[in-house]
Amino acid sequence: MKLQHSTGLTGTITVPGDKSVSHRAVMLGALSDGVTHVTGFLMGEDCLSTIDCFRKMGVQIEVGADHDVTVHGVGLHGLQKPSARLYTGNSGTTTRLISGILAGQPFATTLTGDASIEKRPMGRIIRPLREMGADITGVDDKFCPLSIGPGHLHGIAYTLPVASAQLKSAILLAGLYADGPTTVIEPAPSRDHTERMLRALGCRVDTDGCRITVYPPEKLTARDVAVPADISSAAFFLVAGAIVPGSCVTIQGVGVNPTRDGVLEVLRSMGADITLSNLRDDGEPICDITVRASALHGTEIGGALIPRLIDELPVLAVAAACAQGETVIRDAAELKVKESNRIAAMVTELTRAGADVTETDDGMVIRGGRPLHGAAFQTYHDHRIAMSMAVCALVCQGESEIADDGVVAISYPDFFDALRRLGG
Ligand code: S3P
């Protein structure tokens, strides 16, 4: 894909459905009694992997036109043993959340994914699930493929070593099958879509600060899900609209759950002109967001903010490269174990464009304001690196090229079309 310097993005768009909510709608719909109609589902490869895994366990799932999905729930105890190993593709969310569910089943399964999944840390889910009584093993007790046998689960109280919603959710979902309540203690609040959806389906989930307790329910009762537009996908246009002079972009119906909206806080702290309108609530808070181009300045991003914008850090690094002054990103070592090492990837690619960036142990330091130039950017087969560098290309002088641009299909299949429609 070739990209040119942009003279301004203008218009109104709707970005695809939230990836985290789409995964959970299928998983919890499958475990519910009754039929779940999901609207606004993200038809990205990751969420299709989740559908595929549940179909292989006997769940009837219809994928209709226009992002509608219907899940015919089989109840908490209705999943069937798949005839082959389950394949989760590139999806960490599928792999980790489904492991929690599989730990409570009366049959054995093997779970595997692509080359990136086989490198991602799974010891973090193996340890607590084993503590609950699960029969789960992985390669060196750390990596996929995972083998999960039938186990009798009991409730535990577990302090997470990292603020990870995938890890939290894996334990809470296993907790549905435990013989007593299960408590997870987070170092900082991470996205709470699992807790919200479980409550909506009639399951008791108590939250007290960073302590979340799930009480094993007799059943989950199906309820339709309207998936909000994904703030993580909107983030590419928020940054593009802020840094490309002359831009004014509105993104409709974006999920602004307070555990996910750190990108708005940071962009505003950098001087971005962002307006929220039409705020409403449909299980998750949503609103329309308008961004106009403005001069940005450097900032500090760390601490409890990190889990609230973890997936937006690559594109925020692009914003920082265009801002006057220094931006420091710290406490973000988790970025090294995403679909790629996103710290190393962004430092290398921004440097290729002429930015002044230094890698640190848990983040990066970006001295912004240098003129950027077009280059042949690498994606590391990571959808968010591809889209972040596409945004960067809009402010680079000259032509840029994104190798392996098809990788955006993981979370945003129409990304380049949307960019073109806005004039990029
Ligand atoms: C997700 C949690 C985050 C995020 C990922 C989706 C989820 O991962 O990066 O894209 O849906 O729970 P971690 O839990 O590993 O931080």
Side-chain angles (χ1 to χ4, degrees):
M1 177 72 59
K2 292 210 160 63
L3 293 112
Q4 311 289 339
H5 181 85
S6 168
T7 52
L9 303 179
T10 44
T12 299
I13 52 164
T14 307
V15 299
D18 190 280
K19 185 154 78 68
S20 298
V21 176
S22 296
H23 281 300
R24 286 156 173 84
V26 169
M27 293 183 183
L28 293 180
L31 301 181
S32 293
D33 288 1
V35 176
T36 302
H37 298 285
V38 188
T39 48
F41 187 82
L42 167 61
M43 299 292 175
E45 287 172 9
D46 271 10
C47 297
L48 295 175
S49 293
T50 291
I51 288 185
D52 186 54
C53 289
F54 280 87
R55 280 182 173 155
K56 291 207 166 96
M57 291 191 284
V59 182
Q60 193 193 331
I61 303 174
E62 287 139 24
V63 176
D66 211 22
H67 307 276
D68 290 346
V69 168
T70 304
V71 185
H72 297 265
V74 295
L76 278 169
H77 303 284
L79 295 178
Q80 291 162 21
K81 181 176 167 58
S83 56
R85 46 171 56 188
L86 297 176
Y87 181 72
T88 60
N90 191 246
S91 177
T93 308
T94 313
T95 310
R96 295 198 177 108
L97 270 60
I98 215 173
S99 297
I101 294 170
L102 294 174
Q105 303 307 315
F107 51 79
T109 31
T110 303
L111 206 55
T112 184
D114 70 5
S116 153
I117 279 294
E118 291 197 345
K119 281 192 241 143
R120 295 187 66 183
M122 295 297 156
R124 58 177 63 184
I125 57 163
I126 292 176
R127 282 187 295 274
L129 291 177
R130 258 193 207 153
E131 206 177 305
M132 294 179 78
D135 174 13
I136 175 168
T137 49
V139 176
D140 297 333
D141 267 357
K142 287 187 188 134
F143 301 108
C144 278
L146 302 176
S147 297
I148 305 174
H152 178 74
L153 303 186
H154 47 264
I156 59 168
Y158 192 79
T159 302
L160 305 186
V162 285
S164 158
Q166 292 179 357
L167 172 53
K168 169 178 68 176
S169 299
I171 300 168
L172 294 178
L173 292 173
L176 299 176
Y177 295 94
D179 57 11
T182 296
T183 299
V184 174
I185 301 127
E186 304 188 88
S190 66
R191 65 193 69 194
D192 65 355
H193 307 297
T194 305
E195 296 92 302
R196 283 173 183 255
M197 210 179 277
L198 281 172
R199 281 189 201 109
L201 303 181
C203 176
R204 178 171 169 200
V205 182
D206 294 348
T207 300
D208 176 13
C210 286
R211 277 179 86 88
I212 302 118
T213 303
V214 64
Y215 295 80
E218 254 167 45
K219 61 171 185 171
L220 300 174
T221 305
R223 201 170 149 180
D224 292 349
V225 179
V227 181
D230 198 329
I231 193 166
S232 299
S233 298
F236 300 107
F237 297 105
L238 292 174
V239 170
I243 63 175
V244 179
S247 297
C248 178
V249 177
T250 298
I251 310 150
Q252 293 176 313
V254 182
V256 283
N257 178 317
T259 60
R260 294 283 300 281
D261 67 353
V263 64
L264 300 176
E265 198 170 312
V266 167
L267 283 174
R268 279 180 163 156
S269 79
M270 297 175 81
D273 177 354
I274 290 177
T275 322
L276 308 189
S277 58
N278 204 7
L279 188 62
R280 54 230 192 250
D281 201 306
D282 197 0
E284 293 276 345
I286 57 176
C287 72
D288 302 338
I289 309 177
T290 299
V291 59
R292 288 183 182 78
S294 59
L296 301 185
H297 50 81
T299 190
E300 296 211 356
I301 312 173
L305 245 181
I306 295 293
R308 292 178 50 219
L309 46 62
I310 187 74
D311 290 340
E312 292 68 77
L313 283 168
V315 78
L316 281 171
V318 174
C322 300
Q324 287 302 323
E326 189 174 270
T327 294
V328 180
I329 300 174
R330 59 168 71 91
D331 307 319
E334 273 295 295
L335 279 186
K336 296 182 189 171
V337 291
K338 294 292 179 186
E339 286 83 329
S340 69
N341 177 340
R342 288 182 174 162
I343 297 179
M346 286 311 293
V347 169
T348 306
E349 297 314 304
L350 286 174
T351 304
R352 207 189 292 283
D356 181 356
V357 196
T358 313
E359 182 171 345
T360 63
D361 278 351
D362 62 353
M364 58 188 104
V365 178
I366 304 153
R367 287 160 291 273
R370 276 209 199 175
L372 302 179
H373 53 77
F377 297 120
Q378 304 298 307
T379 69
Y380 309 84
H381 204 61
D382 183 330
H383 52 132
R384 298 202 201 280
I385 302 298
M387 292 185 274
S388 298
M389 293 318 295
V391 169
C392 183
L394 302 174
V395 291
C396 286
Q397 285 306 324
E399 187 173 84
S400 298
E401 189 164 1
I402 310 272
D404 182 29
D405 55 84
V407 71
V408 301
I410 292 289
S411 66
Y412 198 160
D414 298 330
F415 172 75
F416 288 106
D417 287 341
L419 197 54
R420 252 182 238 116
R421 274 201 304 282
L422 290 171

